[in-house]
Every structure is written in structure tokens, then in C-alpha cells.
Amino acid sequence: MAYEIGFVDNTGTEGLAHWQMLLKIKTLAEANGWTTLRYVNPTDGSNRELIMKGVGLSGTEEIFIGFRSYHNVGADYYNLSVAAFTGYVAAAAFTAQPSYMESGVCAHNQRIDYWLRVNAQCITFGLKVGVGSYQHGYTGFFFRYGTPGQHPYPIAVFGMLNGVPATRYSDTSYSMGLKGYIAATAAYNGPNARIRDVAGVWQQVFSAPWNTGMNMRDTGGYYLGKKIVLYQANQVWGELDGVRFISGFNQVVENTCVINGKTNVVLRDVTRTGFADYFLLELS
């Protein structure tokens, strides 16, 4: 597993910041075993695409994921997306790849601070956009509760948006996919949290400890980093890799902590500061 912390802006040779994030993902992923199948990097200012294949933690799997940039200068949005597929067809468009699923992540064309994590089965990142708006993306395998024969392709796509709508980062009507499907806010929670089930169908999922009446306070000054478990009414699918829930009580975004010898950074859901709006991203 590898990670990178840094920032991008619109002064580099790669142009706009959200374009540069694609290059950062590509570079770190290739250095850690991922193979680039497509990198569309036009010079005319149009959108860019990245499709990659990974081998998983076993070293024998084929995991297909993708990232895109999309923007509109007049509407002042400059976004990314996370996507997943079950294969790759060189002649097919990004949205026509096998079993395509995609979720947008708000960014912009100015400075973006980022935390990027890559291992052999998934790529996940956090972005700080503007003044304190935190964004998150996850694509790749999760830890399935079952055998490879029972669930051969446990892939997830967790972003911030339902598809790739024209949403600016300053909008307040969206929320991070890590929270899963929340009925009370179903207009913007759920469609950005999907896994592919054993029948090959993309499913919206709940995630625990959200939706479970969790303890949102610290315990005697200690904060528990809780695994994010994916489930539905009659099925527990597994847990996400490298991200955990943490209480927002008396919390400060960008705090760090160490769990099992690995450094984690505290990030949050856009600009929200409630008890249930924070999570940990594992870095090392």
C-alpha cells in the first residue's frame, strides 16, 4: 500500500487542478501495480479519462476501475468521478464499458489539497476544495464477507454525487457516499454508494455504523475508529478498505491518529461538522 499527500492547482504544466488529480492517481497507481488501459489526455481543454486494471490482494484478480474529469467554465464547476467496470473494451466509450457505474466527486480549478491512498485492490482519496469543503472517492474491491466463489467480484463505487451531474462544490444538497443509503435524506444519500452483488446487479447499500443508532461520543477521551460495514435488510456484504467512521464530537478535521501502527487522517462530509459527519482515511 502507498499513499501521497500534497496539493494541485492550475499553475502546473498539466493545467487545471482537477486534471492534475487524474495524473496524480495514475502515477501513484502505476507505481503500485496498477496497469493503465486508457489515458485520454487531450490538449484542447476537453475532459480527460483514466481506466486502470489491478490484480487485487491475491495478485491474481482483474479489477477494472476508472476516473474522469468533467467541467463547465460558465457554470464554474470542475469535477472528477470514480467508476468501476467488469472488463475493458478498447473501442467502447467510458460510459459503455462492461457493467459501468460512476459517481461524481466535486472539485474545482484552484488549489486542491489531497490525501491519496492506493493498494492492490482499491484507490481512495480525500480532497479539500475551497475553504473547508471535503470530498471523497472510493473505487475498487472491498473486503467481502464470503469466499471468492460466493462473491467473485466484490467491487464498490463510493463518491459524492448520483452519477455525474452539473454540481458545484459549494452546493449543499449532496453528501458523501460513505454514509450509505439514509432514508431521511434519500434525495442525495444512497445513489452514490453502490456495490455489485453476487448476481451482478449494482445495489444501493446501507453502511454501519451509520444507520445503526451508533454511539457518537468519545469514550473517556478515546475515539473508536469503527469499520464501515456494507449491508442491506437481509444481507451483510462486507467492509470498506482503508476508511473508518470516527465520532465528530469535539473533533477537528485533518487531525491524525495511529491505528495498528498506521497513520490515519480525519476528514469530513463536505462542510458538515455534526457528530456523524467525520471519517478516517488510512494513509500508512
Side-chain angles (χ1 to χ4, degrees):
M1 190 268 285
Y3 73 97
E4 185 175 309
I5 302 171
F7 73 91
V8 292
D9 59 26
N10 62 0
T11 62
T13 58
E14 285 296 307
L16 300 178
H18 67 315
W19 289 344
Q20 293 186 54
M21 275 309 306
L22 285 187
L23 183 59
K24 292 291 185 181
I25 293 168
K26 176 178 180 292
T27 301
L28 189 60
E30 287 178 342
N32 289 275
W34 288 81
T35 300
T36 296
L37 302 176
R38 175 185 296 175
Y39 183 47
V40 178
N41 185 23
T43 59
D44 62 359
S46 57
N47 294 328
R48 305 187 178 192
E49 298 179 3
L50 173 62
I51 298 177
M52 311 196 81
K53 182 176 77 171
V55 296
L57 298 181
S58 70
T60 62
E61 298 177 270
E62 292 187 329
I63 305 170
F64 297 92
I65 62 174
F67 307 85
R68 281 200 296 173
S69 67
Y70 69 102
H71 68 273
N72 184 292
V73 175
D76 194 31
Y77 68 83
Y78 302 82
N79 293 348
L80 299 170
S81 74
V82 289
F85 324 102
T86 55
Y88 174 66
V89 178
F94 191 92
T95 57
Q97 294 297 321
S99 299
Y100 152 83
M101 179 55 62
E102 185 176 23
S103 176
V105 179
C106 293
H108 69 169
N109 64 333
Q110 302 299 318
R111 175 174 170 138
I112 301 172
D113 293 357
Y114 68 87
W115 299 261
L116 172 60
R117 177 185 186 270
V118 174
N119 70 9
Q121 73 170 355
C122 66
I123 296 177
T124 185
F125 57 82
L127 308 177
K128 181 181 179 181
V129 181
V131 181
S133 178
Y134 291 83
Q135 312 288 326
H136 178 258
Y138 180 114
T139 181
F141 276 13
F142 58 92
F143 291 118
R144 59 193 152 213
Y145 289 172
T147 67
Q150 293 169 325
H151 196 172
Y153 202 70
I155 202 161
V157 175
F158 279 63
M160 306 295 293
L161 306 172
N162 181 12
V164 285
T167 302
R168 193 175 187 269
Y169 75 93
S170 57
D171 194 321
T172 60
S173 64
Y174 66 94
S175 182
M176 66 183 184
L178 293 182
K179 291 180 175 178
Y181 180 80
I182 300 175
T185 55
Y188 57 85
N189 276 97
N192 55 349
R194 293 187 185 270
I195 68 160
R196 190 172 184 272
D197 69 13
V198 295
V201 177
W202 286 101
Q203 299 279 0
Q204 296 181 37
V205 289
F206 297 98
S207 61
W210 289 284
N211 294 293
T212 59
M214 63 211 174
N215 174 19
M216 299 182 188
R217 291 286 302 267
D218 62 302
T219 303
Y222 290 90
Y223 289 80
L224 300 178
K226 299 181 180 180
K227 296 178 180 180
I228 299 175
V229 177
L230 312 175
Y231 70 98
Q232 291 171 305
N234 60 353
Q235 177 70 53
V236 181
W237 294 104
E239 63 195 55
L240 294 178
D241 182 355
V243 285
R244 293 180 172 89
F245 167 84
I246 192 169
S247 172
F249 180 79
N250 222 13
Q251 189 61 267
V252 178
V253 70
E254 298 186 37
N255 272 349
T256 59
C257 66
V258 177
I259 299 176
N260 296 328
K262 296 182 178 180
T263 300
N264 291 250
V265 62
V266 176
L267 301 177
R268 70 183 180 209
D269 183 8
V270 198
T271 58
R272 297 176 178 87
T273 57
F275 292 169
D277 293 323
Y278 289 79
F279 70 97
L280 293 172
L281 174 59
E282 183 181 283
L283 295 177
S284 66

